């Protein structure tokens, strides 16, 4: 089974930027959804951004639209999350995810990665 490895988390002041990377251990087929979820203690995991590997179609949570950008580098089997204008409420553990699924499920705001793969997570802390 493919393994996902995140990097790029850290601490930043509000208004700053970070770029998260998610490297897959092997080639990800084109019929996959890849993306990022985040979770804070006591709260459910929240989907942040998703990208369908076949055509690059993306979907974002309303809370990050216009600030975060998800992208992929197929040659490197890597997905990125560029996070700009960070806010304290963006503080969370960020998890990379990948799952073979239909495109409408991936980018229609419904993807939960119920049967897919998770990375180990990377912490993002935004101070005010």
């Amino acid at each position: 089974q493919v393994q996902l490895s995140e990097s790029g988390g850290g601490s930043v002041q509000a208004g700053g930027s970070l770029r998260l990377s998610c490297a897959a251990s092997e080639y990800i087929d084109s019929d996959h959804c890849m993306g990022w979820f985040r979770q804070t203690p006591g709260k459910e995991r929240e989907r942040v951004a998703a990208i369908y590997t076949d055509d690059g179609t993306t979907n974002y949570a309303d809370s990050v639209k216009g600030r975060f950008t998800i992208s992929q580098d197929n040659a490197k089997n890597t997905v990125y999350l560029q996070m700009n204008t960070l806010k304290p409420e963006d503080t969370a553990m960020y998890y990379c995810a990948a799952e073979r699924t239909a495109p409408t499920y991936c980018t229609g705001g419904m993807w939960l990665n119920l049967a897919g793969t998770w990375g180990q997570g990377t912490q993002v802390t935004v101070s005010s």
Side-chain angles (χ1 to χ4, degrees), residues 7-67:
S7 61
S11 297
V12 65
Q13 289 191 329
S17 298
L18 285 173
R19 188 176 84 153
L20 305 183
S21 298
C22 172
S25 59
E26 59 190 56
Y27 175 74
I28 300 291
D29 291 333
S30 60
D31 58 351
H32 275 65
C33 189
M34 291 192 71
W36 298 88
F37 291 72
R38 67 186 180 187
Q39 189 171 25
T40 54
K43 293 188 176 181
E44 290 189 358
R45 194 167 291 188
E46 172 193 18
R47 182 183 57 254
V48 176
I51 186 166
Y52 196 62
T53 57
D54 182 40
D55 59 7
T57 303
T58 60
N59 177 269
Y60 298 92
D62 289 341
S63 58
V64 306
K65 281 181 181 176
R67 300 188 297 122

Side-chain angles (χ1 to χ4, degrees), residues 1-6 22-29 31-35 53 76-79 96-100 111 113 115-120:
Q1 188 176 9
V2 64
Q3 294 183 339
L4 304 175
S5 179
E6 304 101 329
C22 172
S25 59
E26 59 190 56
Y27 175 74
I28 300 291
D29 291 333
D31 58 351
H32 275 65
C33 189
M34 291 192 71
T53 57
K76 296 182 179 180
N77 298 328
T78 300
V79 171
C96 180
E99 183 180 20
R100 174 176 277 113
W111 181 46
N113 199 45
T117 300
W118 294 96
Q120 81 285 357

